[in-house]
């Protein structure tokens, strides 16, 4: 008798030690006990309070399987089944359909023998692979255990009218333990989701009444509720159409049904009837990735050789039908749509994506709702007591029914008119295929101005869309014999990104200002018109029709044409023998005599790098000729020839000093790393590439200019101390937008000092 008491006491102490193991203490895997204990079913039969669960085992003919395998079982008590019958409005298990009965019984069984301490430790560490661990090196979120229940295929009709048979992955039991919430979450989270007091040991909505009941082939953890198989987020929405049908219909615009070889093969192995192809439902929402909130499997972690623990989970903030319809009336109805489900995919995509959150190894708990992130990674705040009308933990995450819409920043940004206005279908399609273009227009952290092009302007430019090929066609409308060229959305996105400038342009019709775009070129906004370097080459300006959007990150302006990137370089304007302007011809001669031009006919200016900004000041032809005649150009005689040193040893040496002096002087007209315009936005002292007679860097002091009519001229005071003012001349020979450079014509020459 004493030996028996001692043995029982040791057993109780063992269980207590396992139960109170700390979060960080190592726990060994539990081995199947010896024959001192009966098998799982024998243990339940000996307890006498599991007649309903055992009855279900017999009805499903599971006895042999549960007596021979190694399992962890969470059996509900008879009282739990009585409560379940009452909630279902039935009398007994016989009232359940066969498949529902299978779910009720098999959903409480997990492969492998796991003590409660081991389950808690798996929830904390999870024995995950290195690349699967959480941010602190642990598996603190590996909390869902895979059961032996798997639903049969579900038949669904897609929005395309086709019928699909969907493969269903295994169901999971979420284990809600103190370890899982330890230091991270609050017990009130459990109470919010399940309406029950948190005791520290739960699986889904059931409380563990007694843990670690040993059996010869496993472990029993007794629970006080029946836990039916959890449904995935998509299925929960489908089961509540009166609340979530609008959101689900919108999300299904992005649904794709992918053939599942694994599911089909499994069906061929297990079924005896007709063998259909099985599919997996996925939603193509986030960039190039699929979202699996309609699928039970997200990414199973492994423990030993058994797939058992699932750590990944979605958080779905699903607006109610009422909230979405209200949002539609306030934002979309004015554009001719009859209902929110009529809104095109590209328009609605950011709205849906913003409500589905997938953060690695995590889901948003109720206590975190006051400060969390949306699906598009915007910070959001949700009042769980006032704004959450529905909450359910699902097989692949949690669904919160929200009585408001989480408006994506896209709808409040510069791109708002592109999303809402049907006149911008082309731009929206291009933007949806180029995430970098979308990011530029919707990023709330920056400020931009976008010169937007309506679809009608695309047509005027000879660009149309081929719906069959899903490509754009371009044709030169000025040439009736030109051929159609197919271009992709990425090509057009690059063109449209040229229309995006840093900073916000205000008063576009009341000023002349130069603004830098995302291609590091400049666009001139000139009293209701705009042009870029390519337009300048064609002597054309496009009309700004007005402001489309004033968003939280800038302004969008509707324009009548395309802003063109410059194709001509500074050399093209100044020194190219064919393109070069005659008004710059004398400066071209100075460059050549100074040895700063390449020998080919294009006359490339050798001192300019392709990837840098420059401003070049070019004196008029007359002022250069006058300065030469007056002997004011270093290195040149009054006839314009290089000064010869008669004492030099070689012919080349006779002009070496003169050429060096002329080179340093001519370089003084080039300011590197700066773009200076007559709008006066960039003035002050600037270093040039030139050096004076004392070999010091020449600086130019620049002042004046302005954005309004009647502003003073931009003026230059050269750095040699002569004090003479040189003005930038108005007209088409100044503010010339070359490739990565600005050219100005000035009315005098610089003084080189001594």
């Amino acid at each position: 008798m004493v030996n028996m008491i001692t043995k029982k006491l040791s057993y109780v102490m063992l269980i207590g030690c396992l139960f109170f193991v700390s979060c960080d203490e190592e726990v060994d895997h539990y081995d199947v006990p010896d024959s001192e204990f009966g098998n799982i079913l024998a243990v339940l039969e000996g307890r006498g309070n599991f007649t309903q669960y055992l009855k279900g085992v017999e009805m499903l003919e599971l006895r042999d399987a549960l007596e021979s395998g190694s399992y962890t079982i969470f059996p509900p008590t008879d009282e739990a089944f009585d409560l379940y019958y009452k909630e279902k409005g039935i009398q007994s298990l016989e009232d359940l359909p066969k498949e529902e009965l299978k779910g009720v019984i098999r959903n409480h069984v997990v492969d492998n023998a796991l003590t409660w301490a081991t389950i808690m430790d798996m929830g904390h560490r999870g024995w995950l692979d290195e690349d699967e661990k959480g941010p602190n090196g642990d598996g603190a979120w590996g909390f869902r255990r895979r059961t032996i229940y798997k639903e049969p295929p579900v038949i669904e009709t897609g929005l395309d009218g086709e019928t699909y048979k969907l493969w269903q992955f295994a169901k999971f039991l979420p284990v809600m333990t103190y370890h899982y919430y330890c230091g991270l979450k609050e017990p009130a989270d459990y109470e919010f989701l399940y309406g029950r007091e948190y005791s520290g040991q739960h699986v889904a909505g059931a409380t563990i009444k007694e843990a670690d009941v040993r059996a010869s082939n496993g472990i029993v953890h007794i629970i006080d509720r029946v836990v039916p198989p959890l449904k995935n987020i998509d299925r929960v929405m489908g089961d509540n159409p009166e609340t979530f049908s609008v959101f689900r219909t919108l999300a299904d615009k992005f649904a794709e049904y992918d053939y599942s070889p694994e599911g089909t093969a499994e069906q061929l192995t297990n079924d005896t009837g007709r063998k259909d192809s099985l599919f997996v439902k996925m939603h193509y929402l986030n960039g190039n990735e699929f979202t699996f909130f309609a699928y039970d499997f997200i990414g199973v972690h492994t423990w030993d050789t058994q797939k058992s623990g699932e750590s990944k989970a979605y958080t779905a903030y699903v607006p109610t039908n009422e909230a979405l319809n209200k949002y539609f009336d306030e934002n979309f109805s004015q554009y001719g749509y009859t209902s929110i489900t009529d809104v095109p995919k590209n328009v609605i995509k950011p709205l849906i994506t913003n409500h589905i959150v997938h953060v690695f190894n995590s889901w948003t708990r109720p206590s975190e709702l006051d400060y969390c992130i949306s699906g598009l990674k915007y910070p959001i705040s949700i009042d769980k007591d006032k704004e959450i009308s529905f909450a359910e933990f699902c097989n692949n995450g949690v669904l919160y029914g929200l009585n408001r819409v989480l408006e994506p920043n896209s709808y409040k940004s510069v791109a708002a008119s592109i999303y809402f206005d049907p006149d911008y279908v082309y731009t929206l399609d291009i933007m949806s295929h180029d995430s970098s273009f979308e990011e530029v227009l919707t990023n709330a952290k920056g400020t931009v101005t976008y010169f937007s092009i309506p679809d009608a302007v695309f047509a005027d430019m000879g660009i149309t869309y081929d719906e069959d090929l899903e490509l754009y066609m371009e044709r030169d409308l000025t040439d009736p014999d030109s051929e159609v060229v197919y271009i992709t959305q990425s090509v057009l996105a690059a063109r449209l990104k040229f229309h995006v400038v840093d900073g916000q342009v205000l008063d576009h019709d009341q000023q002349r200002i130069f603004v830098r775009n995302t291609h590091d070129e400049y666009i001139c906004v000139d009293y209701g018109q705009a042009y870029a370097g390519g337009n300048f080459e064609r002597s054309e300006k496009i009309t700004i029709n007005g402001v489309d959007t004033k968003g939280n990150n800038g302004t969008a302006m509707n324009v009548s044409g395309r802003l063109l990137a410059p194709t001509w370089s500074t050399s093209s304007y100044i020194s190219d023998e064919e393109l070069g302007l005659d008004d710059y011809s004398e400066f071209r001669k100075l460059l050549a005599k100074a040895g700063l031009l390449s020998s080919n006919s294009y006359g490339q200016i050798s001192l300019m790098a392709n990837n840098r900004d420059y401003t070049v000041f070019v004196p008029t032809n007359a002022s250069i000729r006058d300065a030469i005649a007056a002997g004011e150009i270093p290195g040149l005689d009054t006839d314009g020839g290089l000064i010869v040193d008669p004492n030099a040893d070689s012919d080349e040496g006779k002009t070496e000093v003169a050429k060096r002096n002329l080179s340093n002087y001519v370089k003084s007209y080039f300011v590197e790393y700066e773009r200076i315009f007559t709008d006066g936005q960039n003035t002050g002292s600037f270093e040039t590439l030139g050096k004076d007679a004392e070999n010091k860097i020449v600086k130019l002091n620049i002042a004046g200019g302005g954005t309004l009519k009647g502003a003073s001229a931009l003026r230059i005071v050269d750095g040699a101390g002569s004090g003479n003012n040189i003005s930038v001349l108005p007209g088409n020979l100044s503010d010339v937008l070359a490739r990565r450079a600005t050219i100005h014509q000035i009315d005098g020459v610089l003084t080189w000092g001594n």
Side-chain angles (χ1 to χ4, degrees), residues 31 217 260 311 322 355 405 559 601 626 720:
D31 295 324
N217 68 329
S260 172
S311 66
E322 181 180 359
H355 289 83
V405 171
V559 294
S601 62
D626 290 345

Side-chain angles (χ1 to χ4, degrees), residues 180-214:
Y180 185 47
Y181 286 105
C182 177
L184 296 171
K185 315 293 173 263
E186 301 175 3
D189 290 340
Y190 182 84
E191 296 163 11
F192 184 87
L193 287 171
Y194 292 104
R196 300 193 66 190
E197 183 178 353
Y198 178 72
S199 69
Q201 293 178 303
H202 299 273
V203 286
T207 299
I208 302 291
K209 304 305 291 184
E210 184 178 354
D212 295 330
V213 178
R214 307 273 176 136

Side-chain angles (χ1 to χ4, degrees), residues 481-498:
D481 298 325
S482 64
E483 295 184 355
V484 170
V485 177
Y486 286 95
I487 49 178
T488 64
Q489 286 91 343
S490 60
V491 171
L492 290 174
R495 295 181 185 179
L496 292 180
K497 277 187 266 190
F498 193 84

